[in-house]
Amino acid sequence: MPVNRIGLVVHGARPAARAAADTVRAWCAGHGIPCAEVDVWSDGRPRLGGKEEAAAAGHPDLIITLGGDGTFLRGARIAAKDNARVLGVDLGHVGFLTEVPADGVRQALDAVHEDRATVEERMTLTLRTSRSLEVPSGMEPLLRDGRCPALPTPQPRADGEDGADGAGGWGVPLDVTALNDVVLEKLVRDRQVALAVYFAGRLLASYSADAVIVATPTGSTAYSFAAGGPVLSPHMDAVVFTPVAPHMPFNRTVVAAPDEPVAARVLPHSGQVVVSIDGQLRGVLGPGDWVGVYPAPSRLRLVRLGPTDFFGRLRERFSLTDAPATVADGQAPALFRSPDSDVPEDLVGLRLPPALEE
């Protein structure tokens, strides 16, 4: 599918990002393709929701992010709302989400426009809450990250049958998606969050913790990993629940099937709970409120120029080293396959590295 309109998400603090943006604009001008910058803000223009950003940019069918994985998440929230493809350009770091280096932008655009790229879909999350998310008056400056204005609180989905007050008993469906995770965390240092956590509608345990994380496989290498959670292949669908500093013996991650939603009810003696979506603080809940997290109907469409080397990136990103006892055996081969033979029939269809070219 050729490119018809491009939306740019630029890490404005990086000169390399601004230079790469100029390259994209020049490519667009040479091909007669409209290009607009999205997710920009100023004192007079607050940040918008994903649908509003996409509409303001004329509904681009390709979102290009110029920065790191954080910048990619900014673009992902817009792309997921408009079924757009998203291409991440990496600037100086090995990311799990970004695809091409800054000096390869023009070649990447040619590949996408000439239909030589592929699209990889990733699972995303959405949520329902007992009431609409709100940020208490005067608290917003405390919730901002100091670098940019806060995103607006998620609005109820237009197709929600229960309305903004959750009168039907199933809560308020929110018009929001998370590529990495939904986090419920304590608001103040001396008050833990106390949450009754349910899987597929059944109580697992009541937690007292600094936070709990509900992540996608894509997000398993982010906050969940830092909190001791497992690494999941981003090609699978699953819901990953990881408690952060729980005050209880059971501190393990639980991995659920995608049709097993995770719900958390805020207990009466809990401190206030901040709801973060992909690292952005989006609302505050209190005792008696609840949140349900489950797969979103929309999936993120990532542009890939070649086979995804997730496990190679994993080794590089975390600087994985081999066991000292294996030093005498020498460096193991980077790939496990015979480069000069056809793939056996029972292995056809499995994810394997391509044959080495002679």
Side-chain angles (χ1 to χ4, degrees):
M1 181 184 297
V3 179
N4 295 308
R5 182 180 293 270
I6 285 178
L8 272 180
V9 181
V10 184
H11 191 309
R14 294 187 181 182
R18 297 195 298 270
D22 290 339
T23 300
V24 174
R25 294 188 186 98
W27 184 92
C28 289
H31 290 76
I33 294 174
C35 177
E37 193 167 334
V38 293
D39 198 18
V40 295
W41 55 84
S42 63
D43 292 338
R45 183 191 188 280
R47 300 180 77 183
L48 303 175
K51 284 185 176 179
E52 291 79 11
E53 286 283 6
H59 299 286
D61 59 307
L62 177 66
I63 302 288
I64 298 177
T65 70
L66 304 170
D69 281 356
T71 307
F72 185 92
L73 289 173
R74 289 171 50 197
R77 74 179 182 90
I78 301 168
K81 285 298 180 186
D82 220 33
N83 199 36
R85 297 166 289 175
V86 58
L87 172 67
V89 178
D90 186 63
L91 296 170
H93 302 282
V94 178
F96 284 107
L97 299 173
T98 51
E99 175 71 5
V100 298
D103 59 5
V105 172
R106 190 176 293 276
Q107 293 87 339
L109 286 168
D110 287 338
V112 176
H113 193 53
E114 296 166 8
D115 205 20
R116 292 186 283 110
T118 60
V119 173
E120 176 183 299
E121 294 190 349
R122 295 281 182 91
M123 169 186 169
T124 62
L125 296 172
T126 191
L127 58 156
R128 285 176 174 250
T129 51
S130 52
R131 59 179 175 84
S132 296
L133 288 180
E134 297 176 350
V135 176
S137 177
M139 189 176 290
E140 183 175 337
L142 299 176
L143 300 182
R144 291 168 58 174
D145 61 12
R147 292 170 295 176
C148 61
L151 287 168
T153 54
Q155 297 302 302
R157 281 207 317 263
D159 61 344
E161 298 177 358
D162 298 330
D165 58 357
W170 292 98
V172 180
L174 298 183
D175 190 15
V176 68
T177 56
L179 176 61
N180 270 356
D181 49 43
V182 176
V183 179
L184 310 178
E185 55 192 320
K186 64 183 184 181
L187 179 60
V188 295
R189 183 176 182 182
D190 61 346
R191 292 295 303 275
Q192 302 291 105
V193 294
L195 304 168
V197 176
Y198 298 78
F199 282 81
R202 297 183 180 275
L203 178 67
L204 176 69
S206 291
Y207 287 79
S208 176
D210 284 356
V212 299
I213 305 164
V214 184
T216 64
T218 297
S220 70
T221 53
Y223 189 11
S224 177
F225 177 83
V231 174
L232 276 67
S233 168
H235 300 296
M236 65 186 295
D237 284 3
V239 180
V240 186
F241 171 82
T242 303
V244 180
H247 289 212
M248 58 191 298
F250 185 72
N251 61 357
R252 302 302 181 89
T253 292
V254 177
V255 180
D259 63 350
E260 295 173 323
V262 179
R265 188 179 298 276
V266 186
L267 297 176
H269 294 92
S270 173
Q272 286 186 294
V273 178
V274 173
V275 180
S276 298
I277 301 171
D278 281 346
Q280 298 287 321
L281 306 181
R282 307 296 295 274
V284 177
L285 297 176
D289 293 323
W290 59 260
V291 176
V293 184
Y294 53 99
S298 58
R299 301 173 72 87
L300 188 69
R301 304 173 66 217
L302 279 72
V303 173
R304 294 304 193 198
L305 304 183
T308 302
D309 183 18
F310 170 73
F311 296 102
R313 291 188 181 191
L314 184 68
R315 179 178 176 89
E316 185 175 359
R317 179 70 178 266
F318 292 118
S319 301
L320 300 185
T321 57
D322 304 319
T326 68
V327 171
D329 299 313
Q331 179 67 52
L335 301 180
F336 187 85
R337 65 161 294 160
S338 299
D340 56 353
S341 62
D342 295 332
V343 176
E345 184 176 348
D346 61 326
L347 301 182
V348 172
L350 301 183
R351 293 182 184 273
L352 295 171
L356 297 177
E357 296 183 359
E358 298 183 0

mmCIF file of all heavy atoms in Angstrom, residues 222-252:
data_model
loop_
_atom_site.group_PDB
_atom_site.id
_atom_site.type_symbol
_atom_site.label_atom_id
_atom_site.label_comp_id
_atom_site.label_asym_id
_atom_site.label_seq_id
_atom_site.Cartn_x
_atom_site.Cartn_y
_atom_site.Cartn_z
ATOM 1 N N ALA A 222 9.505 -3.609 29.514
ATOM 2 C CA ALA A 222 9.534 -2.250 30.048
ATOM 3 C C ALA A 222 9.423 -2.298 31.576
ATOM 4 O O ALA A 222 10.210 -2.967 32.244
ATOM 5 C CB ALA A 222 8.417 -1.421 29.409
ATOM 6 N N TYR A 223 8.459 -1.606 32.155
ATOM 7 C CA TYR A 223 8.343 -1.501 33.613
ATOM 8 C C TYR A 223 8.170 -2.873 34.260
ATOM 9 O O TYR A 223 8.730 -3.163 35.324
ATOM 10 C CB TYR A 223 7.169 -0.582 33.945
ATOM 11 C CG TYR A 223 7.026 -0.179 35.394
ATOM 12 C CD1 TYR A 223 8.021 -0.428 36.341
ATOM 13 C CD2 TYR A 223 5.881 0.497 35.834
ATOM 14 C CE1 TYR A 223 7.872 -0.027 37.666
ATOM 15 C CE2 TYR A 223 5.729 0.901 37.147
ATOM 16 C CZ TYR A 223 6.730 0.623 38.054
ATOM 17 O OH TYR A 223 6.574 1.015 39.368
ATOM 18 N N SER A 224 7.393 -3.740 33.641
ATOM 19 C CA SER A 224 7.174 -5.070 34.196
ATOM 20 C C SER A 224 8.492 -5.826 34.366
ATOM 21 O O SER A 224 8.727 -6.483 35.389
ATOM 22 C CB SER A 224 6.220 -5.871 33.294
ATOM 23 O OG SER A 224 6.045 -7.178 33.770
ATOM 24 N N PHE A 225 9.368 -5.733 33.385
ATOM 25 C CA PHE A 225 10.673 -6.385 33.466
ATOM 26 C C PHE A 225 11.503 -5.799 34.608
ATOM 27 O O PHE A 225 12.138 -6.519 35.376
ATOM 28 C CB PHE A 225 11.417 -6.240 32.146
ATOM 29 C CG PHE A 225 12.800 -6.827 32.154
ATOM 30 C CD1 PHE A 225 12.996 -8.183 31.942
ATOM 31 C CD2 PHE A 225 13.908 -6.030 32.382
ATOM 32 C CE1 PHE A 225 14.273 -8.730 31.955
ATOM 33 C CE2 PHE A 225 15.183 -6.559 32.396
ATOM 34 C CZ PHE A 225 15.365 -7.924 32.187
ATOM 35 N N ALA A 226 11.486 -4.467 34.729
ATOM 36 C CA ALA A 226 12.244 -3.816 35.798
ATOM 37 C C ALA A 226 11.746 -4.237 37.172
ATOM 38 O O ALA A 226 12.510 -4.235 38.144
ATOM 39 C CB ALA A 226 12.154 -2.297 35.648
ATOM 40 N N ALA A 227 10.469 -4.609 37.268
ATOM 41 C CA ALA A 227 9.892 -5.042 38.534
ATOM 42 C C ALA A 227 10.047 -6.541 38.763
ATOM 43 O O ALA A 227 9.496 -7.074 39.733
ATOM 44 C CB ALA A 227 8.417 -4.663 38.577
ATOM 45 N N GLY A 228 10.786 -7.220 37.893
ATOM 46 C CA GLY A 228 11.043 -8.646 38.073
ATOM 47 C C GLY A 228 10.179 -9.565 37.240
ATOM 48 O O GLY A 228 10.194 -10.780 37.428
ATOM 49 N N GLY A 229 9.419 -9.000 36.299
ATOM 50 C CA GLY A 229 8.556 -9.821 35.464
ATOM 51 C C GLY A 229 9.309 -10.519 34.355
ATOM 52 O O GLY A 229 10.469 -10.209 34.068
ATOM 53 N N PRO A 230 8.686 -11.486 33.687
ATOM 54 C CA PRO A 230 9.334 -12.261 32.629
ATOM 55 C C PRO A 230 9.342 -11.522 31.297
ATOM 56 O O PRO A 230 8.615 -10.543 31.098
ATOM 57 C CB PRO A 230 8.447 -13.505 32.538
ATOM 58 C CG PRO A 230 7.074 -12.977 32.852
ATOM 59 C CD PRO A 230 7.286 -11.912 33.908
ATOM 60 N N VAL A 231 10.175 -11.985 30.390
ATOM 61 C CA VAL A 231 10.201 -11.478 29.020
ATOM 62 C C VAL A 231 9.316 -12.376 28.164
ATOM 63 O O VAL A 231 9.495 -13.599 28.149
ATOM 64 C CB VAL A 231 11.634 -11.454 28.463
ATOM 65 C CG1 VAL A 231 11.625 -11.072 26.986
ATOM 66 C CG2 VAL A 231 12.505 -10.488 29.259
ATOM 67 N N LEU A 232 8.371 -11.781 27.469
ATOM 68 C CA LEU A 232 7.502 -12.511 26.562
ATOM 69 C C LEU A 232 7.782 -12.082 25.134
ATOM 70 O O LEU A 232 8.092 -10.914 24.876
ATOM 71 C CB LEU A 232 6.024 -12.254 26.875
ATOM 72 C CG LEU A 232 5.373 -13.093 27.979
ATOM 73 C CD1 LEU A 232 5.964 -12.760 29.340
ATOM 74 C CD2 LEU A 232 3.862 -12.870 27.996
ATOM 75 N N SER A 233 7.677 -13.009 24.216
ATOM 76 C CA SER A 233 7.810 -12.660 22.814
ATOM 77 C C SER A 233 6.680 -11.721 22.421
ATOM 78 O O SER A 233 5.505 -11.983 22.725
ATOM 79 C CB SER A 233 7.767 -13.910 21.942
ATOM 80 O OG SER A 233 7.617 -13.554 20.572
ATOM 81 N N PRO A 234 6.980 -10.623 21.725
ATOM 82 C CA PRO A 234 5.922 -9.687 21.324
ATOM 83 C C PRO A 234 4.998 -10.244 20.262
ATOM 84 O O PRO A 234 3.985 -9.618 19.943
ATOM 85 C CB PRO A 234 6.711 -8.480 20.801
ATOM 86 C CG PRO A 234 8.002 -9.057 20.327
ATOM 87 C CD PRO A 234 8.316 -10.173 21.281
ATOM 88 N N HIS A 235 5.321 -11.412 19.719
ATOM 89 C CA HIS A 235 4.482 -12.001 18.683
ATOM 90 C C HIS A 235 3.299 -12.770 19.269
ATOM 91 O O HIS A 235 2.439 -13.236 18.520
ATOM 92 C CB HIS A 235 5.309 -12.935 17.803
ATOM 93 C CG HIS A 235 6.446 -12.245 17.109
ATOM 94 N ND1 HIS A 235 6.263 -11.261 16.173
ATOM 95 C CD2 HIS A 235 7.788 -12.379 17.246
ATOM 96 C CE1 HIS A 235 7.432 -10.819 15.749
ATOM 97 N NE2 HIS A 235 8.370 -11.474 16.388
ATOM 98 N N MET A 236 3.263 -12.940 20.584
ATOM 99 C CA MET A 236 2.173 -13.677 21.207
ATOM 100 C C MET A 236 1.164 -12.717 21.814
ATOM 101 O O MET A 236 1.426 -11.520 21.949
ATOM 102 C CB MET A 236 2.718 -14.614 22.292
ATOM 103 C CG MET A 236 3.358 -13.894 23.474
ATOM 104 S SD MET A 236 4.149 -15.005 24.669
ATOM 105 C CE MET A 236 2.727 -15.897 25.281
ATOM 106 N N ASP A 237 0.000 -13.240 22.174
ATOM 107 C CA ASP A 237 -1.017 -12.479 22.902
ATOM 108 C C ASP A 237 -1.101 -13.026 24.315
ATOM 109 O O ASP A 237 -1.247 -14.243 24.515
ATOM 110 C CB ASP A 237 -2.377 -12.594 22.225
ATOM 111 C CG ASP A 237 -2.486 -11.744 20.972
ATOM 112 O OD1 ASP A 237 -1.475 -11.110 20.596
ATOM 113 O OD2 ASP A 237 -3.571 -11.728 20.364
ATOM 114 N N ALA A 238 -1.017 -12.162 25.299
ATOM 115 C CA ALA A 238 -1.124 -12.547 26.697
ATOM 116 C C ALA A 238 -1.298 -11.291 27.527
ATOM 117 O O ALA A 238 -1.038 -10.172 27.058
ATOM 118 C CB ALA A 238 0.114 -13.321 27.159
ATOM 119 N N VAL A 239 -1.749 -11.465 28.767
ATOM 120 C CA VAL A 239 -1.881 -10.365 29.720
ATOM 121 C C VAL A 239 -0.943 -10.670 30.883
ATOM 122 O O VAL A 239 -1.045 -11.725 31.504
ATOM 123 C CB VAL A 239 -3.334 -10.215 30.209
ATOM 124 C CG1 VAL A 239 -3.446 -9.055 31.196
ATOM 125 C CG2 VAL A 239 -4.278 -9.994 29.032
ATOM 126 N N VAL A 240 -0.012 -9.753 31.161
ATOM 127 C CA VAL A 240 1.048 -9.975 32.147
ATOM 128 C C VAL A 240 0.779 -9.112 33.380
ATOM 129 O O VAL A 240 0.749 -7.872 33.280
ATOM 130 C CB VAL A 240 2.430 -9.627 31.559
ATOM 131 C CG1 VAL A 240 3.537 -9.992 32.539
ATOM 132 C CG2 VAL A 240 2.639 -10.324 30.222
ATOM 133 N N PHE A 241 0.593 -9.741 34.537
ATOM 134 C CA PHE A 241 0.344 -9.018 35.786
ATOM 135 C C PHE A 241 1.575 -9.129 36.680
ATOM 136 O O PHE A 241 2.009 -10.233 37.022
ATOM 137 C CB PHE A 241 -0.870 -9.594 36.512
ATOM 138 C CG PHE A 241 -1.058 -9.033 37.902
ATOM 139 C CD1 PHE A 241 -1.680 -7.813 38.093
ATOM 140 C CD2 PHE A 241 -0.589 -9.732 39.009
ATOM 141 C CE1 PHE A 241 -1.834 -7.295 39.367
ATOM 142 C CE2 PHE A 241 -0.742 -9.217 40.290
ATOM 143 C CZ PHE A 241 -1.374 -7.992 40.473
ATOM 144 N N THR A 242 2.153 -7.972 37.063
ATOM 145 C CA THR A 242 3.350 -7.948 37.902
ATOM 146 C C THR A 242 3.152 -6.971 39.053
ATOM 147 O O THR A 242 2.926 -5.781 38.817
ATOM 148 C CB THR A 242 4.591 -7.527 37.095
ATOM 149 O OG1 THR A 242 4.766 -8.410 35.987
ATOM 150 C CG2 THR A 242 5.841 -7.559 37.959
ATOM 151 N N PRO A 243 3.226 -7.433 40.309
ATOM 152 C CA PRO A 243 3.165 -6.505 41.441
ATOM 153 C C PRO A 243 4.526 -5.852 41.674
ATOM 154 O O PRO A 243 5.570 -6.442 41.387
ATOM 155 C CB PRO A 243 2.778 -7.421 42.610
ATOM 156 C CG PRO A 243 3.354 -8.750 42.243
ATOM 157 C CD PRO A 243 3.301 -8.843 40.737
ATOM 158 N N VAL A 244 4.521 -4.629 42.169
ATOM 159 C CA VAL A 244 5.747 -3.890 42.461
ATOM 160 C C VAL A 244 5.873 -3.733 43.979
ATOM 161 O O VAL A 244 5.024 -3.105 44.617
ATOM 162 C CB VAL A 244 5.739 -2.506 41.795
ATOM 163 C CG1 VAL A 244 7.033 -1.755 42.103
ATOM 164 C CG2 VAL A 244 5.549 -2.633 40.288
ATOM 165 N N ALA A 245 6.918 -4.325 44.548
ATOM 166 C CA ALA A 245 7.183 -4.259 45.995
ATOM 167 C C ALA A 245 5.948 -4.622 46.811
ATOM 168 O O ALA A 245 5.518 -3.850 47.675
ATOM 169 C CB ALA A 245 7.708 -2.871 46.372
ATOM 170 N N PRO A 246 5.361 -5.804 46.576
ATOM 171 C CA PRO A 246 4.185 -6.187 47.362
ATOM 172 C C PRO A 246 4.572 -6.578 48.791
ATOM 173 O O PRO A 246 5.600 -7.207 49.013
ATOM 174 C CB PRO A 246 3.631 -7.394 46.598
ATOM 175 C CG PRO A 246 4.829 -7.997 45.950
ATOM 176 C CD PRO A 246 5.736 -6.845 45.600
ATOM 177 N N HIS A 247 3.748 -6.188 49.756
ATOM 178 C CA HIS A 247 3.978 -6.544 51.156
ATOM 179 C C HIS A 247 3.251 -7.848 51.448
ATOM 180 O O HIS A 247 2.271 -7.885 52.204
ATOM 181 C CB HIS A 247 3.493 -5.418 52.063
ATOM 182 C CG HIS A 247 4.355 -4.195 52.009
ATOM 183 N ND1 HIS A 247 4.557 -3.361 53.077
ATOM 184 C CD2 HIS A 247 5.087 -3.652 51.000
ATOM 185 C CE1 HIS A 247 5.364 -2.375 52.753
ATOM 186 N NE2 HIS A 247 5.682 -2.523 51.473
ATOM 187 N N MET A 248 3.726 -8.933 50.877
ATOM 188 C CA MET A 248 3.109 -10.242 51.035
ATOM 189 C C MET A 248 4.064 -11.290 50.482
ATOM 190 O O MET A 248 4.953 -10.969 49.674
ATOM 191 C CB MET A 248 1.777 -10.294 50.280
ATOM 192 C CG MET A 248 1.903 -10.005 48.790
ATOM 193 S SD MET A 248 0.328 -9.765 47.958
ATOM 194 C CE MET A 248 -0.462 -11.348 48.196
ATOM 195 N N PRO A 249 3.951 -12.544 50.915
ATOM 196 C CA PRO A 249 4.881 -13.582 50.436
ATOM 197 C C PRO A 249 4.797 -13.837 48.936
ATOM 198 O O PRO A 249 5.800 -14.083 48.287
ATOM 199 C CB PRO A 249 4.475 -14.818 51.248
ATOM 200 C CG PRO A 249 3.773 -14.274 52.448
ATOM 201 C CD PRO A 249 3.075 -13.048 51.989
ATOM 202 N N PHE A 250 3.579 -13.792 48.374
ATOM 203 C CA PHE A 250 3.423 -14.110 46.955
ATOM 204 C C PHE A 250 3.717 -12.856 46.136
ATOM 205 O O PHE A 250 2.919 -11.921 46.091
ATOM 206 C CB PHE A 250 2.000 -14.602 46.667
ATOM 207 C CG PHE A 250 1.818 -15.069 45.245
ATOM 208 C CD1 PHE A 250 2.379 -16.256 44.804
ATOM 209 C CD2 PHE A 250 1.084 -14.315 44.342
ATOM 210 C CE1 PHE A 250 2.207 -16.688 43.501
ATOM 211 C CE2 PHE A 250 0.909 -14.735 43.033
ATOM 212 C CZ PHE A 250 1.475 -15.926 42.614
ATOM 213 N N ASN A 251 4.888 -12.841 45.498
ATOM 214 C CA ASN A 251 5.308 -11.655 44.746
ATOM 215 C C ASN A 251 5.584 -11.963 43.290
ATOM 216 O O ASN A 251 6.297 -11.232 42.619
ATOM 217 C CB ASN A 251 6.552 -11.044 45.385
ATOM 218 C CG ASN A 251 7.733 -12.010 45.381
ATOM 219 O OD1 ASN A 251 7.610 -13.151 44.947
ATOM 220 N ND2 ASN A 251 8.877 -11.555 45.859
ATOM 221 N N ARG A 252 5.029 -13.046 42.797
ATOM 222 C CA ARG A 252 5.332 -13.495 41.435
ATOM 223 C C ARG A 252 4.419 -12.868 40.396
ATOM 224 O O ARG A 252 3.276 -12.490 40.676
ATOM 225 C CB ARG A 252 5.217 -15.025 41.349
ATOM 226 C CG ARG A 252 6.111 -15.779 42.308
ATOM 227 C CD ARG A 252 7.580 -15.430 42.097
ATOM 228 N NE ARG A 252 8.455 -16.148 42.982
ATOM 229 C CZ ARG A 252 8.992 -17.341 42.731
ATOM 230 N NH1 ARG A 252 8.712 -17.938 41.599
ATOM 231 N NH2 ARG A 252 9.784 -17.920 43.612
#
